[in-house]
Amino acid sequence: MNKDPILALDTFDYDLPPDLIAQRPAKLRSASKLLHLDREEKSIEHRDFRMLPDYLREGDVLVLNDTKVFPARLMARRDTGGVVEILLLKFPVEGEAVPCLVRPGRRMRATQRVTLENGTTLIVRRDHDGFTVTGGDIGLNEAVLKHGKVPLPPYIRRDMDGPDNADTERYQTVYASHTGAVAAPTAGLHFDEDVLAEIREKGVSIGQVTLHVGPGTFQPVRTRDITRHQMDEEPYTVPPGTVDLIEDAKENGGRVVAAGTTVVRTLESAFEGQGIRAGEGTSGLFIYPGYRFSLVNALLTNFHLPRSTLLMLVCAFAGTDFVMKAYREAVKQKYRFYSYGDAMFIE
């Protein structure tokens, strides 16, 4: 059966020279470039991130994701001497087995003791659902906090020592406060305290939600018809105070500005009937072209991988042809892409 081409996977592909994949953040958080898109005018403007407050209006509410990335990456050795990389998929609660990814995993036994660099041991188990890890001679929580490393995406290259102190600081938003993510909400990495202060001075309210970003957000779409793709569930929290800010903005003609795709998914998941619901939940919401947005009026986002669910969400928000045109323009103008790259603001 023929599918609408707008929902075909290769619609969301584009060519990106490898040298445009940002390997380091900008010298200052707010020193990134900003590509401004106007959905109604179909206009594209080249700006700097420091100009973002100019696009916000008194009465708007800017919503941030305050999740905090934890050091989810552990390097260990099997008893045979082979090196394995363990990526925890959620923050460990003491006494619980935590799901994880293990690379390479094909030689792992059903139950295997692995040893970290300092001699600390962990227990990795394998079943039909995948891998889990628990503490060995110390608790897993303690092992992660003492010996874990920043879980940088694989397209950010580091030497054998892995992430450095700069990554520990910069792969984290300045407002991160609730630990639980294995990946940063990258649109928020551009904000510094000065930009946030300038936004508040304009009469823009700032609210927070928490969505603990998991690897499911970045899982590649492997189906030619994207509507067959399934997102993993991720936990979120919407505080009552943020609901109040959103309702006030809506009642007084202000806009809801989402800082990142994770904020979009959180707000749209928490929307019920005529309003947004405070509280906790999980989101497996997959937003692709054809989706009707209930809350979000403007979006700040980074540049995303080809064929990714993140790019599909942006295309749903601003139109596939327009977004892909903007991406080609960003490539032409040598914007920096992905987690440590530049930003795009769509209104």
Side-chain angles (χ1 to χ4, degrees):
M1 182 175 64
N2 291 330
K3 294 292 181 182
D4 185 337
I6 203 68
L7 301 181
L9 181 58
D10 58 7
T11 302
F12 307 93
D13 208 351
Y14 66 92
D15 294 324
L16 181 69
D19 63 325
L20 295 186
I21 300 174
Q23 296 301 305
R24 294 284 179 180
K27 187 174 182 179
L28 300 175
R29 287 183 181 269
S30 58
S32 299
K33 293 194 289 187
L34 181 71
L35 191 67
H36 175 254
L37 275 61
D38 187 309
R39 291 188 297 178
E40 293 185 1
E41 300 294 333
K42 300 299 181 186
S43 63
I44 300 174
E45 298 176 315
H46 301 284
R47 296 291 186 263
D48 298 319
F49 187 81
R50 289 286 314 189
M51 300 178 69
L52 177 66
D54 296 340
Y55 292 112
L56 303 181
R57 310 167 189 163
E58 182 177 359
D60 287 349
V61 56
L62 172 67
V63 185
L64 311 173
N65 182 4
D66 64 8
T67 188
K68 187 173 184 178
V69 180
F70 71 97
R73 179 176 175 265
L74 294 164
M75 300 303 297
R77 288 187 180 274
R78 304 193 307 270
D79 50 14
T80 58
V83 176
V84 292
E85 178 183 5
I86 301 170
L87 178 68
L88 276 67
L89 301 186
K90 69 175 186 177
F91 189 68
V93 176
E94 214 54 71
E96 291 185 2
V98 176
C100 63
L101 302 177
V102 177
R103 187 177 61 178
R106 61 186 181 277
R107 295 182 180 177
M108 296 290 288
R109 297 191 295 270
T111 300
Q112 183 152 12
R113 185 180 297 271
V114 299
T115 306
L116 304 181
E117 293 176 358
N118 70 326
T120 296
T121 61
L122 303 174
I123 307 299
V124 178
R125 292 182 172 84
R126 181 179 193 169
D127 60 22
H128 63 280
D129 290 327
F131 293 98
T132 58
V133 59
T134 55
D137 49 8
I138 66 172
L140 181 58
N141 188 284
E142 182 180 353
V144 166
L145 294 179
K146 282 185 176 181
H147 309 296
K149 295 182 180 294
V150 178
L152 291 178
Y155 50 75
I156 296 178
R157 306 296 184 186
R158 293 292 181 266
D159 58 25
M160 291 298 292
D161 292 332
D164 53 30
N165 291 335
D167 293 313
T168 301
E169 177 190 359
R170 294 297 298 275
Y171 195 66
Q172 196 84 267
T173 64
V174 297
Y175 46 79
S177 56
H178 293 93
T179 301
V182 300
T186 56
L189 297 179
H190 306 280
F191 289 98
D192 57 27
E193 295 297 348
D194 289 342
V195 171
L196 291 170
E198 187 175 347
I199 288 171
R200 292 187 180 96
E201 289 171 3
K202 289 201 66 170
V204 176
S205 302
I206 298 180
Q208 290 84 26
V209 297
T210 305
L211 182 138
H212 291 316
V213 189
T217 292
F218 306 97
Q219 286 292 334
V221 178
R222 295 187 173 90
T223 58
R224 293 181 62 186
D225 173 10
I226 68 168
T227 64
R228 301 172 67 103
H229 178 73
Q230 296 292 317
M231 298 282 287
D232 291 344
E233 297 282 336
E234 293 169 317
Y236 70 79
T237 302
V238 180
T242 300
V243 172
D244 293 340
L245 293 176
I246 291 172
E247 291 177 346
D248 288 344
K250 289 289 190 181
E251 289 174 5
N252 294 292
R255 301 173 302 171
V256 176
V257 181
T261 57
T262 59
V263 173
V264 175
R265 292 179 56 239
T266 300
L267 296 180
E268 295 293 318
S269 296
F271 185 84
E272 292 183 349
Q274 299 300 311
I276 184 171
R277 174 184 57 83
E280 298 180 350
T282 59
S283 177
L285 180 62
F286 177 24
I287 296 177
Y288 54 83
Y291 180 85
R292 296 179 64 86
F293 290 84
S294 301
L295 279 178
V296 178
N297 306 113
L299 170 63
L300 175 72
T301 185
N302 274 27
F303 294 94
H304 303 295
L305 276 71
R307 300 185 171 209
S308 65
T309 60
L310 307 172
L311 176 56
M312 293 168 191
L313 184 153
V314 177
C315 288
F317 190 75
T320 303
D321 290 343
F322 185 37
V323 169
M324 300 312 293
K325 176 184 177 181
Y327 267 59
R328 291 191 294 271
E329 176 68 12
V331 170
K332 181 180 178 181
Q333 298 299 326
K334 298 189 181 303
Y335 277 63
R336 302 166 73 247
F337 278 63
Y338 305 164
S339 295
Y340 275 157
D342 296 315
M344 171 188 289
F345 182 60
I346 309 169
E347 59 176 339

